[in-house]
Amino acid sequence: MADAITIRPAAPADAPILSELLEQLEHPAPVSEIPARLSALANFPNAAAFVATNGYGEVVGLATTHILPTIHRGRVAWLTTLVVLEDARGAGIGSALVRHVEQWAAGNGATTLSVNSGTRRKATHEFYRKRDYEHTGLRFTKNLAGDG
């Protein structure tokens, strides 16, 4: 893999590799659903999907983000997806994606950027701590789809 990392908006043509990345994140999504999901993000106010490409132009990482208005903190941003291909991890790709999202969020008026991470993802927690993210709370989730 070439060393140059480029960040660009995700595109429908990226669907096959995005499906693979989401599988590695343990949130599988069929290739056929990716274009509609990207379209939904594009149509949502203050949301974005970015991919990282290596020096060969191959997609090696994905990040998505949303900015939400809140009553208690103003505009807050969430890093809603971050994943790098397993064989490309450790090369600075995740860091580049996080920096890009931080800049995008600040440039769009967000006052904070938060991220959720599953409790068993210890290495991921350390990744965020090294980038000055603080552990500030717990997430509680309820499945509303009724499928498990």
Side-chain angles (χ1 to χ4, degrees):
M1 173 171 68
D3 292 334
I5 299 168
T6 303
I7 310 291
R8 65 165 172 80
D14 299 322
I17 190 64
L18 296 184
S19 179
E20 181 179 339
L21 283 161
L22 292 170
E23 179 74 31
Q24 289 183 13
L25 190 60
E26 299 177 11
H27 292 283
V31 172
S32 62
E33 291 182 13
I34 301 293
R37 292 182 184 193
L38 288 173
S39 179
L41 276 171
N43 290 320
F44 189 88
N46 296 304
F50 301 106
V51 294
T53 62
N54 63 19
Y56 302 111
E58 301 164 327
V59 172
V60 292
L62 168 68
T64 63
T65 184
H66 296 73
I67 297 176
L68 305 169
T70 67
I71 194 77
H72 64 293
R73 297 192 83 176
R75 293 169 60 83
V76 299
W78 285 90
L79 177 57
T80 50
T81 307
L82 179 65
V83 60
V84 173
L85 282 176
E86 285 181 31
D87 62 356
R89 292 178 187 163
I93 297 161
S95 294
L97 282 163
V98 169
R99 279 191 306 274
H100 189 83
V101 168
E102 290 171 348
Q103 292 168 357
W104 178 88
N108 283 281
T111 57
T112 60
L113 176 64
S114 296
V115 60
N116 287 324
S117 180
T119 56
R120 65 182 178 76
R121 296 182 182 272
K122 304 298 183 198
T124 302
H125 304 166
E126 189 58 28
F127 171 88
Y128 288 115
R129 282 188 193 99
K130 287 181 179 178
R131 284 147 190 86
D132 297 323
Y133 285 75
E134 297 178 54
H135 180 205
T136 59
L138 299 173
R139 174 187 68 213
F140 297 91
T141 303
K142 182 177 184 178
N143 182 352
L144 300 176
D147 58 3

